[in-house]
Amino acid sequence: MVVLATKCYVEGDARERALDGLRSLVENAVGDLAVEYEVGLRHDDFPSVTVSGEDETVARNVLREEWGAITPEFEAGEVYTGTLEHWDDEGLVLDAGEEIRIPSDQLGLGPGTPDQVRTRYGLVQHLPMQFVYGDPNRLADAERDRLYEWSRGPGRVNVNSATRGETRATVNRAGHAQDIITVERLGLLEQSIVCAEGTDPPGLLASIGGYLPAELLCVVE
């Protein structure tokens, strides 16, 4: 079984739509392999994928590579993935099956309080993030590189509580299809709307915010 490092925290019909979408994504990832699989949801909102068959080892590795995996144990110096649960003056707290605190001096994302850093880089709640386990824990180099790349590239609007399809549909419904390049999937319910040149991310956020019951944060240069 692989426990995916992304959360399904919405309720009701939205949860069913999200899990249906996840099943499709798992099918796309491992459907050509000789395996059978079943998608479930743990009590802590992390999805699990039970895999069996001739190619089960390959399938598990594919899923870990695509989503990251929640593991029962950690080794110092190794990279893991957790979801952003909360933040305070002392740092960020990720959920990686247990709480992982990243102290503010181990973020490596420039000046400011953890909340200011979170806002500057568009770190919506539940965003999957990579960290290096240790004493202290720190953000992984690849994670820092990704976030710096966001701030240097075209503007973005990051959202949570919505699938990629729902986010795309919302942009279209608000009349902004021509103002974006794409919607990148960051997690099952966390997306990044990549703005086209000349599009103002705060303006896009204001326009689509009324359509999405979600947290939205801009990433601007």
Side-chain angles (χ1 to χ4, degrees):
M1 183 173 72
V2 180
V3 180
L4 306 183
T6 188
K7 281 195 170 184
C8 184
Y9 43 83
V10 291
E11 300 291 342
D13 291 345
R15 172 169 289 205
E16 290 308 310
R17 288 195 302 271
L19 289 175
D20 284 345
L22 178 59
R23 291 184 187 98
S24 296
L25 294 170
V26 171
E27 174 65 24
N28 290 342
V30 304
D32 291 336
L33 300 175
V35 293
E36 295 182 353
Y37 63 86
E38 183 176 353
V39 176
L41 194 63
R42 299 201 322 182
H43 67 281
D44 55 5
D45 293 335
F46 284 113
S48 62
V49 184
T50 304
V51 182
S52 60
E54 184 179 340
D55 293 334
E56 61 184 52
T57 300
V58 175
R60 291 191 192 104
N61 288 338
V62 168
L63 293 172
R64 290 189 188 103
E65 181 68 26
E66 184 162 334
W67 295 95
I70 299 299
T71 58
E73 298 176 345
F74 303 95
E75 291 185 23
E78 294 297 314
V79 176
Y80 300 92
T81 303
T83 60
L84 178 60
E85 285 306 297
H86 56 90
W87 48 92
D88 53 31
D89 291 341
E90 306 300 320
L92 305 181
V93 177
L94 309 183
D95 186 349
E98 64 180 67
E99 283 200 348
I100 299 292
R101 176 171 285 278
I102 313 291
S104 55
D105 62 357
Q106 297 298 316
L107 296 177
L109 295 173
T113 66
D115 188 48
Q116 289 170 334
V117 168
R118 187 185 85 86
T119 302
R120 183 163 69 242
Y121 288 97
L123 307 183
V124 292
Q125 189 179 21
H126 305 301
L127 175 72
M129 302 180 71
Q130 290 187 311
F131 66 94
V132 177
Y133 185 75
D135 185 16
N137 306 305
R138 65 176 178 85
L139 280 189
D141 291 343
E143 187 63 58
R144 292 169 178 167
D145 290 346
R146 175 174 77 150
L147 299 180
Y148 276 124
E149 192 64 33
W150 285 359
S151 67
R152 287 193 293 261
R156 292 171 178 261
V157 176
N158 291 350
V159 309
N160 66 12
S161 304
T163 65
R164 186 170 183 239
E166 289 167 345
T167 303
R168 276 185 173 278
T170 297
V171 171
N172 293 344
R173 190 160 63 245
H176 287 286
Q178 75 283 358
D179 297 325
I180 73 166
I181 298 172
T182 189
V183 176
E184 289 182 8
R185 181 182 294 107
L186 306 178
L188 178 60
L189 292 169
E190 299 78 38
Q191 322 300 330
S192 187
I193 304 168
V194 183
C195 297
E197 187 174 350
T199 299
D200 175 50
L204 179 63
L205 184 154
S207 181
I208 67 175
Y211 295 93
L212 279 175
E215 180 183 26
L216 298 92
L217 290 174
C218 292
V219 186
V220 295
E221 290 186 69

